[in-house]
Amino acid sequence: GENVEQHPSTLSVQEGDSAVIKCTYSDSASNYFPWYKQELGKGPQLIIDIRSNVGEKKDQRIAVTLNKTAKHFSLHITETQPEDSAVYFCAASPYNNDMRFGAGTRLTVKP
Amino acid sequence: KAGVTQTPRYLIKTRGQQVTLSCSPISGHRSVSWYQQTPGQGLQFLFEYFSETQRNKGNFPGRFSGRQFSNSRSEMNVSTLELGDSALYLCASSLEGRPPNIQYFGAGTRLSVL
């Protein structure tokens, strides 16, 4: 089955700096890669996703890149703000919707 | 449109008991997936139901079971609770359930087993 590794496990940045979180996956059949943000006491919320036929996707301050050959994808947050502080999860899903999540990255943005 | 609703939000049980958790998906969504979230293991996939049928299953023992009703609402049952079952249980709904359909998560049910 799919195995997703996520790094780093914790990340601390100054407000205004950029943050990058990286994930690798093992199953070449995976074709959908969402990123979720989980705030305290809440369920994960989708913030951006990318499909295997796309190399990069951007939504305002958030961007995701995918390298299918190397089986890795990354989340980039620019101009970070304190409200970006949360736990971020990457995930990979093959055709059968058996979504596998990374272990999570706790991002802290210091004002 | 109402989001995914999970009840109850908190549960305290003792070892050996059983528990039933409920999930009401977003209106119109036919797929419901269940996940277990723990600090040590992260988010782990339990199973997915689509049109009242279990379509996919993760690597959990048979003590974990679920079902889906005709209105797409889903329940998850854990029998003979163990201390290690303490976790946040999340359900997620999506329109059809096949990627790349977006999964929307509920706030979860936090289960504590004493």
Side-chain angles (χ1 to χ4, degrees):
Chain A
E2 178 62 273
N3 182 47
V4 179
E5 293 191 359
Q6 182 172 348
H7 299 280
S9 56
T10 61
L11 179 60
S12 182
V13 300
Q14 287 295 136
E15 183 177 358
D17 287 351
S18 295
V20 180
I21 302 171
K22 299 182 179 182
C23 289
T24 59
Y25 63 100
S26 61
D27 189 347
S28 57
S30 288
N31 56 17
Y32 176 59
F33 307 91
W35 285 87
Y36 286 87
K37 174 184 180 182
Q38 187 174 25
E39 297 173 317
L40 200 60
K42 297 183 180 180
Q45 302 296 311
L46 180 75
I47 56 172
I48 195 167
D49 58 9
I50 192 166
R51 301 167 194 184
S52 59
N53 59 346
V54 175
E56 185 174 356
K57 184 176 178 181
K58 192 173 180 180
D59 182 5
Q60 299 184 335
R61 298 185 297 108
I62 295 173
V64 58
T65 58
L66 171 65
N67 184 326
K68 282 200 67 181
T69 304
K71 295 196 186 75
H72 66 70
F73 56 114
S74 301
L75 177 72
H76 304 254
I77 306 175
T78 59
E79 300 172 20
T80 53
Q81 301 167 4
E83 52 265 37
D84 294 329
S85 295
V87 179
Y88 291 81
F89 293 94
C90 63
S93 181
Y95 66 94
N96 63 356
N97 207 38
D98 180 2
M99 193 171 293
R100 300 299 172 114
F101 285 80
T105 297
R106 182 173 298 279
L107 173 65
T108 303
V109 180
K110 299 176 184 176
Chain B
K1 195 184 249 189
V4 178
T5 303
Q6 290 188 248
T7 56
R9 289 295 311 275
Y10 303 93
L11 265 178
I12 299 175
K13 294 285 187 179
T14 56
R15 279 182 299 174
Q17 287 187 310
Q18 75 166 19
V19 67
T20 299
L21 313 181
S22 179
C23 173
S24 293
I26 292 172
S27 177
H29 285 193
R30 294 197 292 164
S31 168
V32 174
S33 297
W34 288 89
Y35 296 86
Q36 182 194 65
Q37 186 175 28
T38 59
Q41 299 296 320
L43 270 159
Q44 292 189 287
F45 174 74
L46 281 155
F47 31 65
E48 182 218 358
Y49 284 86
F50 180 80
S51 292
E52 301 179 64
T53 301
Q54 186 182 87
R55 188 161 63 175
N56 200 12
K57 190 177 188 303
N59 189 27
F60 277 80
R63 300 185 297 107
F64 293 81
S65 63
R67 59 178 176 168
Q68 187 179 35
F69 302 95
S70 58
N71 62 357
S72 293
R73 189 177 71 85
S74 178
E75 287 182 348
M76 190 192 93
N77 185 273
V78 188
S79 62
T80 319
L81 284 166
E82 300 176 0
L83 294 178
D85 297 332
S86 295
L88 179 67
Y89 290 88
L90 294 159
C91 84
S93 76
S94 63
L95 269 172
E96 292 291 332
R98 295 294 185 193
N101 283 290
I102 297 170
Q103 290 197 0
Y104 296 87
F105 282 84
T109 293
R110 184 163 298 280
L111 172 64
S112 297
V113 182
L114 306 177

